[in-house]
Amino acid sequence: MARLNPQPIKDHLREALLFNRRMLVAVVAVILLVFVLLGRLAQLQILRHEHYTTLSENNRVSIRPLVPTRGLIYDRNGVLLAQNLPSFRLEIIPERVTDMDRTLDELAKLVRISDEDRDRFREQLSVSRRFEGVPLRFRLSDDEVARIAARRHRLPGVNITADLARHYPLGELTAHAVGYVGRISIEELRQLDPSNYKGSHYIGKVGIEKYYEDILHGQVGHQRVETNAQSRVLRKMDRTLPVPGQTLYLNLDSRLQLAAQQAFGEENGALVAIDPRSGAVLALVSMPSYDPNLFVNGLDSATYRALRDSPNRPLFNRALQGQYPPGSTIKPFMGLAGLELNVTEPQREVNCPGWYMLKNDDRRYRDWKKGGHGEVDLDRAIVESCDVYFYDLAFELGIDRIHAYLSRFGLGQRTGIDIRGELPGLLPSREWKKAVHNQRWYHGETLITGIGQGFTLSTPLQLASATATLASRGHRMRPTMVRSIQRPGDENVTPVEPRELEPVTIRQKKNWDYIIRAMQRVVHSMHGTARGINVDLSYTIAGKTGTAQVFGIKQDEEYVAEDIQKRLRDHALFIAFAPVEDPRIAVAVIVENGGSGGAVAAPIARRVMDAFLVNAQ
Amino acid sequence: MSIGSSQFVEEDRISAGRKLLLRLHIDLPLLVALLLLAGLGLFVLYSAGEQQSEIVTRQLIRLAIAFGVMFALAQIPPLVIRRWAPWLFGIGLLLLFAVLMLGVVGKGAQRWLDLGLFSFQPSELMKLAVPLMIAAWLADAPLPPSHRRKLVASLFLLVPTLLVARQPDLGTAILIACSGFFVLFLAGLSWRLMISLAVLVAASLPLLWQFVLHEYQKKRILSLLNPESDPLGSGYHTIQSTIAIGSGGLYGKGWLHGTQSHLDFLPERSTDFIFAVFSEEFGFIGNLLLLAIFLTILARGMVIAVQAQDTFGRLVAGSLSLTFFVYFFVNMGMVSGILPVVGLPLPLVSYGGTSLVTMMAAFGILMSIHTHRRLMAR
């Protein structure tokens, strides 16, 4: 060992002695620990031997999960939206089957077993514990149960187990809001708490069922059972009861859902109704809908393909994920921005010849009314939906101020509703265009943003929420599906507190009054674009119609709605709230390819508001 | 007269045998005890593996490789091993970082480094490299070590331990920490320092619980305190293994007759929980025998440590022996339910190859220390 630097001389004897002393300490510690271990082994194998012999001799004491009952879901009036119905499940204990293929073929002669059932069964087979039943079919009919029961002696290892299956009494009426549960997939299984989901076969897939999965599922219980070597239960021993899932009461009103669904008829579209005071979602409809009960036990691939590939896209939740240009429904918000930022005033008039032109640009930005509106002030511009006024106002405001002000209403952002999958829409800005398109912002784009066209996109939920904010004069509440939660066996209901979002500040209250009065005249005045719905109206409505272009019309090109295929026709929109004096409901409706907002979308909103305000008592 | 001549022949034969063993650098008592343990392990494995001879064959091949590694290492003089120590340590550290960066994620933990032909756990290398490195470092200066030496040595200990614990592989991290600590302890770390460290660790336990331990690790500790709290989850292993041990009684249920294991109640029964299979089938008496073999190996290791002729040899032999003790004590402790479940196999008995090779390499080093002794003295 060559050393470069001089080191103190080692005292080998002293080091050896030190080491030996330490070794002695280690030996003592080892002896002590070995005695602890021996003591434990003696305790288990000599003192408590009898006890453990009993446990192992009876053996085969095993712990079975007791699956908790899933929480129920009610609407605001106590109408049942999701329940659990008894059903029978076909299970196979693989260890007791000699020829699996033959058994499956045999069973297929008795009951319907799809290829999906078989595949899923094979998948679960590979992850199941020994002597545990692996489910093959769910929700057997009484007939099927009888057929299998009669031949059971010839089918060892085949069991029929009683079970609870999820059922949605209102079917497609609440599908897009409540969602559905389905059989747990292999991927989901990996992310779950395995002990809490032992024995659970279902999990929330979309909607409320998914968002509130933790609350609805409950806590698993255990039952100790004494089994023989074939895992047959001989005796039930002590158990811990499962804690059932909690009951949810929704803000949703199924009568409003029904009114909306009937009003839509064959049209595609979406409607969202919100209580402006609390953010409570009163109705959430996406048309067409589907029967969620189909999904509970897995549907066959033909039905699923039909649903998925239907041109009407019933599985698509338009209320949360449909992103549409808001069209003229954006005008009240633009008008408010103009007043509050002192860019315009009630007296100011703009001449509308039917088009608008920017300086140094020969492109004509057209009004929907060919001959123009003449001299219009802000009130008329909203009531008659004059585009030219808002081209001008948008130009004066500029895109930066438009973006900043409309953002405060939550446009272009997720509302944070308690359902997953909501899309944010889009409120364009200079920065956005730079980042996404790497292009500068053009004045012409500011103009069409001012009438809710161009890049601007919003979801029906977002529009309803923004309308609610307008109705409550700046108060913003997070849209909330769940009203209250109740623990099973507990009398008390825990309300879900409404969550306030950052409010839109008011500079001058009279500006808000002005806009709302103009919106009221959209419905209640002679020239209002939604005057068609004021017949026999026992309360006041403030609203705004909108039409969103599905495709662009070229310059100087005539456009006649009837000529164009239905699919290419404009989307019809309507936002409204009522009663104007004390708003209790705010609604946003979109009818895909509906054409005119006033004629097609507004009546649907009226039907829903009637259901809430007039027929409520 | 005939008696005298036969005695002479006998002595001559023995010394010839000893010479051969010495030339092969084999320590007979250690070899015999290890072979006894490995043989016993194969019997238990045959039972635990549902009498599949394939498992036993595969384990036999692994044992052959592992014993081969032991013989190979025994040929290398301790001086050379000492010179290698910094290199081993440095490479191991690099590999640990590599695993951290690009490790193949297996079983939710990053432990393996895929080297194309085979994957390799750098943490295994560290089980040897850390004690070798610290021993080499401390042996360079007089003992007890100076503050500076202690400080650097504690870095050699902490960095690999934390890297391995991060993977997360708590079992191996504990072993690495122990092996390094044992070197320091045997080198004469002052009692005052150790006690204050212990107090410090005890005081930081709540922080450790809050910020460092993974959810599954907390669950295992909680289930040790009360296995019934989660009988389907992390408590299940312990409940079933204590039933297996307890029902074994004084004499056991007999080889191949353990019901707990053969009816599938006992999880991981070929690997980490194989001690429960043994206990169930061979009872308390069997456990005494098994412990006796383990303690024989431990005792031989300690003797080798005490008889070693230089500080490096003493420290390495002592640390490796004590780490071996931790290995089987922690495994038996967790299977019998007095320690939390950390993933440590029972040395030479559990099915599996990686840690087996490291273990036998350690015994190779022990043999090297013992058998090169006289050569060095001459």
Side-chain angles (χ1 to χ4, degrees), chain A residues 456-469:
Chain A
T456 318
L457 292 174
S458 45
T459 63
L461 172 66
Q462 220 173 69
L463 279 179
S465 174
T467 308
T469 302

Side-chain angles (χ1 to χ4, degrees), chain A residues 1 3 7-12 14-16 18-20 22-23 25-27 29-31 33-34 36-38 40-42 44-46 48-50 52-53 55-57 59-65 129-131 193-195 198 220-222 224 227 229, chain B residues 50 82 139-144 149 185-189 191 194 219 228 230-233 236 242-243 245-250 253 259-260 263-265 275 279 283-284 287-288 291 295 298 302 305-306 311 314-315 318 322 325 329 332-333 336-338:
Chain A
M1 266 178 290
R3 293 204 194 92
Q7 295 263 339
I9 295 160
K10 288 165 79 84
D11 183 343
H12 286 281
R14 199 171 145 253
E15 284 190 8
L18 171 71
F19 180 84
N20 289 352
R22 282 301 166 97
M23 213 57 185
V25 175
V27 168
V30 165
I31 290 172
L33 287 172
V34 166
V36 169
L37 190 61
L38 279 175
R40 172 65 173 174
L41 292 175
L44 291 176
Q45 301 194 296
I46 299 170
R48 306 261 293 152
H49 171 55
E50 297 274 319
Y52 287 110
T53 303
L55 286 184
S56 107
E57 260 319 297
N59 195 336
R60 321 203 210 201
V61 174
S62 69
I63 302 156
R64 299 280 168 94
R129 297 240 314 256
R130 281 184 73 183
F131 290 110
D193 174 0
S195 39
K198 276 235 165 85
V220 72
H222 327 106
R224 281 168 176 286
T227 53
Chain B
E50 298 186 343
R82 180 172 180 176
D140 267 353
L143 297 183
R149 293 256 159 198
F185 171 77
L186 294 172
L189 199 62
W191 287 105
M194 282 190 286
K219 259 195 172 175
E228 306 288 333
D230 187 12
L232 292 173
Y236 183 80
T242 47
I243 292 177
I245 297 174
S247 64
L250 195 57
K253 295 176 184 170
T259 53
Q260 277 295 106
L263 282 168
D264 218 4
F265 288 101
F275 177 58
S279 289
F284 190 68
N287 282 338
L288 286 180
L291 260 177
L295 290 174
L298 174 66
M302 288 176 146
V306 172
T311 306
R314 269 197 290 269
L315 292 179
L322 289 174
F325 171 73
F329 179 77
M332 290 176 172
S336 59
I338 50 173

